[in-house]
Amino acid sequence: MTRLLAAVALLGALASCGGRSYDPPRNLDDACALAGERPEYLRAMRTTERRWNVPVPVQMAIIHAESRFRGDARTPHRYALGVIPMGRQSSAYGYSQALDGTWEEYQTATRNRRAERDDIRDASDFIGWYASEARRLNGIQPSDARNLYLAYHEGNAGFARGSYRNQTWLVTVANRVGERAVMYDAQLRACRRR
């Protein structure tokens, strides 16, 4: 009987340790605190920076705008007549809020079929890949967080058409992404000197 209890206790302890934690870091306005609390985020973003040339602060600002660093973020449900569930607003999921189709394009292009949107390494790599596409198709520099976010949100074809121009709310969000990237950059430079 004691062996059975010990086995159940061990299984319970292992179960509580298993799985990913999707909770965001506590302080999303301090890049140094964020990196200190989740060093794996910074490692993933540095790998992406080396591979795709997208600065860490730009990646951080985009992830902040998309999911607030919540790994299992989803769009809200839609309701008919205010009560009948009609599914989610879109298939966007994870840190990067990539849509199903765009994620599949990324998986095919990078030959990484095992990539998961709720894995920070894959999500930051996705942002790097998307930025390289935005540069190739629209001439957007990887350090241009504002325009990169507009292309990210509207798609490269939508950005080329200027679909964001009549969406003042989106331009406002993109401006904030640009400002946040500058803020994160200054913070990361300061904490490196400490």
Side-chain angles (χ1 to χ4, degrees):
M1 187 64 163
T2 49
R3 278 190 168 166
L4 179 62
L5 289 174
V8 169
L10 179 63
L11 188 59
L14 289 174
S16 69
C17 296
R20 294 184 186 151
S21 170
Y22 296 118
D23 292 336
R26 287 184 294 275
N27 188 349
L28 300 181
D29 293 328
D30 183 339
C32 299
L34 197 154
E37 184 178 343
R38 302 285 168 82
E40 69 275 15
Y41 286 12
L42 189 58
R43 281 193 300 273
M45 291 178 199
R46 284 182 175 154
T47 299
T48 295
E49 183 175 46
R50 285 189 299 274
R51 181 175 185 192
W52 300 105
N53 200 32
V54 179
V56 168
V58 172
Q59 296 172 59
M60 287 178 130
I62 289 172
I63 290 173
H64 178 274
E66 290 297 292
S67 67
R68 300 292 190 270
F69 288 89
R70 181 158 202 87
D72 63 349
R74 293 182 186 274
T75 58
H77 285 284
R78 292 176 302 163
Y79 295 92
L81 304 172
V83 292
I84 303 168
M86 301 291 292
R88 296 201 178 268
Q89 292 175 359
S90 79
S91 63
Y93 176 71
Y95 292 104
S96 63
Q97 287 293 282
L99 299 171
D100 289 350
T102 313
W103 189 259
E104 289 167 12
E105 282 180 51
Y106 159 73
Q107 288 177 311
T108 300
T110 60
R111 296 187 177 126
N112 186 3
R113 282 289 181 203
R114 292 185 167 176
E116 297 177 332
R117 291 178 278 183
D118 58 5
D119 184 315
I120 191 65
R121 293 167 302 190
D122 295 330
S124 68
D125 192 67
F126 171 81
I127 291 169
W129 168 79
Y130 200 92
S132 76
E133 290 294 291
R135 184 176 191 166
R136 182 175 67 81
L137 297 169
N138 288 307
I140 300 170
Q141 295 302 310
S143 58
D144 182 353
R146 178 192 182 274
N147 284 318
L148 183 56
Y149 185 75
L150 289 171
Y152 192 89
H153 191 277
E154 294 296 284
N156 280 302
F159 181 86
R161 284 192 313 273
S163 62
Y164 58 88
R165 289 191 186 108
N166 293 327
Q167 299 180 64
T168 53
W169 68 269
L170 177 58
V171 172
T172 300
V173 171
N175 289 338
R176 283 193 207 125
V177 169
E179 291 163 5
R180 182 166 288 274
V182 169
M183 178 186 81
Y184 280 156
D185 183 52
Q187 291 170 342
L188 288 170
R189 289 175 193 275
C191 66
R192 280 187 207 125
R193 283 186 243 128
R194 291 182 200 158

